[in-house]
Amino acid sequence: MSNTERTFIAIKPDGVQRGLVGDIIKRFEQRGFRLVAMKMIQASEDHVKQHYIDLKDMPFYGGLCAFMHSGPVVAMIWEGLNVVKNGRLMLGETNPADSKPGSIRGDFCITLGRTIIHGSDSLDSANKEIALWFKPEEMVEYKSCQNGSCMSK
Ligand code: IDP
Ligand code: MG
C-alpha cells in the first residue's frame, strides 16, 4: 500500500462515443487521485487481444476485442493510495445491471457488452497493463501546486 500505487484506467469506445470522457476523469480527479499519463488511441486488434489475454477462453473474447479495437479509447494511469481497489469500487460491478447507483457503471450504463470503462483488477494486472499501454517516457513527472512547489516561481 502506498501513495504512489498506480492503476490503468481506459475509457472504452462506447464511453468516448457517448461523451463520457469528462465525467469519468472528473470522478478520479475529485476523489483525489493524480493523473500520471493519458492518451487517446485506437489500439490494434493484437494490442487489445493482449490486454484481454486472461479472457481468451471466454465465448465473448472475440466480440470484446473487436469492440475495443473499433474506435478510440482514452488510456490513463492514475496514482494514489489504494487506487487499484478504489478504482474498481468507483467503476462498479462487471455487470452494469449489478452496479450500484453512484458508481460509474451504475450511473452511465446498463449492459454487459458495453461497460464504458476498464480498470485494473489487481496490482499485478495494473503493472502489466501499464507496461502494455504506456512507455516510461509517457508517464509525466510533476508536483502539485497545492504543495507549494510552484509558488516560488
Ligand atoms: P471488468 O471489465 O469488470 O474487469 P472482466 O471480467 O475483466 O470485467 O471482463 C472484461 C469485459 O468483458 C467487461 O467489461 C465486459 O465489457 C465484457 N464482458 C464480461 N463478461 C461478459 C459476458 O458475459 N458477456 C459479454 N461481455 C462480457
Ligand atoms: Mg477485467
Side-chain angles (χ1 to χ4, degrees), residues 10-153:
I11 305 171
K12 296 182 180 186
D14 49 341
V16 173
Q17 288 159 26
R18 289 181 53 204
L20 298 174
V21 172
D23 280 307
I24 290 171
I25 291 176
K26 181 174 174 16
R27 287 178 183 227
F28 282 85
E29 283 186 327
Q30 75 185 13
R31 186 74 192 264
F33 293 125
R34 198 169 90 103
L35 187 59
V36 172
M38 176 165 73
K39 62 184 171 186
M40 187 181 196
I41 58 164
Q42 184 161 4
S44 71
E45 193 143 19
D46 281 350
H47 186 99
V48 298
K49 279 184 177 162
Q50 187 57 37
H51 172 76
Y52 279 127
I53 196 71
D54 291 349
L55 300 174
K56 67 178 186 318
D57 297 327
M58 303 304 273
F60 56 83
Y61 180 65
L64 172 64
C65 293
F67 180 66
M68 276 296 276
H69 159 69
S70 70
V73 303
V74 174
M76 297 174 279
I77 302 172
W78 287 90
E79 181 180 271
L81 193 64
N82 285 322
V83 71
V84 173
K85 179 175 168 230
N86 282 308
R88 287 295 302 196
L89 289 172
M90 289 165 68
L91 259 62
E93 302 298 321
T94 294
N95 189 343
D98 299 328
S99 297
K100 291 201 173 58
S103 67
I104 292 168
R105 287 173 176 164
D107 284 349
F108 295 126
C109 57
I110 47 177
T111 172
L112 198 46
R114 296 289 181 268
T115 55
I116 69 168
I117 183 167
H118 167 83
S120 308
D121 61 8
S122 68
L123 208 46
D124 189 44
S125 38
N127 290 335
K128 281 190 201 144
E129 289 166 5
I130 286 169
L132 177 66
W133 287 84
F134 286 97
K135 300 186 188 96
E137 60 267 30
E138 292 175 307
M139 297 171 210
V140 182
E141 284 302 322
Y142 64 98
K143 288 201 168 63
S144 170
C145 62
Q146 292 176 99
N147 68 17
S149 62
C150 62
M151 299 300 203
S152 55
K153 295 229 170 103

